[in-house]
Amino acid sequence: MKGIVFTEFLEMVDDKFSPDIAEAIIEEANLPSGGAYTSVATYDHAEMVAMVVKLAEKTNTPVSALLGVFGEYLLGRFCALYPDFFEGINNTYDFLDTIENHVHVEVRKLYSDAELPTFKTERQDSGAMVMTYQSKRPFADLAEGLIRGSIAHFGEDITLTREDLGEGDGSYAAFHLEKAA
C-alpha cells in the first residue's frame, strides 16, 4: 500500500482527534516500520489495519466507520493534491467512471509498484450506477467513504447502498448509487 495513504491517515487522525492519539496508535500498534512513512514508499497494509484497530479502541468507534470517515477525508485530500483528476468533471458518476481507466493509469505512471484495487462502473438504464470494488486488501469501507466523499464533493443527492460479495471480508463489494428523482 502506498505511503501517501498512511501519511494522509495520520494527518486525519491529527486533525480529527489529536496529535497525541496519532502518536499513541503508532506506538501501541507495534508497527514494523515504526510508523515512519513517506508518501512514495510502499508499506504492508496490515500496518494500516493495526492503526485503525488501535484508533477504534481509543475512540470507541467501529473500524468500519473510521475507514469510511478516512475515505471521505481522503477524497478531499485527493481533490487538493490532484486537481487534474477532477478537472472538467461535474458529477459523481462521471468521476467514478474515470477511476480505473484514468486515475489508476496515472497513479501507475507515478508509482509502478502500486497495487491498486479494481473499480468497475456500470450505468443502469434507470439512471443508477453500480460500482464494483475488488482488492487483495479488506478496504471496502474505505472505498465506500471515497464514494461518499465524491457525492459530497459534487453536492449531489445520491443514495448509496453496499452489497458485500465474495467472502464478505471487505475485499469485494458492489456499491449501488441512485440519484434522487
Side-chain angles (χ1 to χ4, degrees):
M1 190 171 218
K2 292 313 293 180
I4 189 168
V5 178
F6 290 85
T7 58
E8 291 299 335
F9 174 74
L10 291 172
E11 285 293 321
M12 182 205 72
V13 174
D14 276 354
D15 292 349
K16 294 196 178 287
F17 300 99
S18 76
D20 290 339
I21 288 180
E23 191 174 310
I25 66 172
I26 289 169
E27 186 175 308
E28 292 174 22
N30 230 359
L31 306 167
S33 70
Y37 302 108
T38 65
S39 62
V40 297
T42 301
Y43 303 93
D44 188 332
H45 77 278
E47 290 196 25
M48 176 64 68
V49 172
M51 287 192 294
V52 175
V53 167
K54 289 297 176 186
L55 182 60
E57 291 171 5
K58 293 213 164 296
T59 62
N60 292 317
T61 307
V63 168
S64 61
L66 290 171
L67 285 170
V69 167
F70 177 48
E72 291 180 47
Y73 175 88
L74 196 56
L75 192 280
R77 293 295 299 142
F78 286 162
C79 289
L81 295 169
Y82 307 105
D84 291 353
F85 291 153
F86 298 87
E87 194 171 295
I89 297 175
N90 301 313
N91 65 71
T92 303
Y93 288 7
D94 287 350
F95 174 68
L96 296 178
D97 277 338
T98 70
I99 293 174
E100 191 64 31
N101 295 316
H102 176 66
V103 174
H104 281 180
V105 169
E106 295 302 316
V107 170
R108 284 186 183 97
K109 286 180 186 175
L110 293 171
Y111 310 109
S112 60
D113 63 339
E115 293 180 1
L116 302 170
T118 300
F119 290 98
K120 293 181 183 170
T121 56
E122 181 183 333
R123 295 196 190 210
Q124 310 288 303
D125 290 339
S126 65
M129 172 184 267
V130 177
M131 176 176 234
T132 306
Y133 162 87
Q134 194 163 14
S135 178
K136 295 177 183 175
R137 294 175 289 282
F139 290 122
D141 294 321
L142 177 60
E144 184 174 347
L146 285 163
I147 295 168
R148 288 192 189 285
S150 298
I151 293 167
H153 173 76
F154 291 106
E156 294 180 283
D157 188 4
I158 296 176
T159 301
L160 175 64
T161 56
R162 174 171 151 188
E163 174 187 2
D164 287 313
L165 304 170
E167 302 287 319
D169 63 355
S171 64
Y172 188 30
F175 298 98
H176 302 268
L177 296 89
E178 190 163 340
K179 292 182 181 182

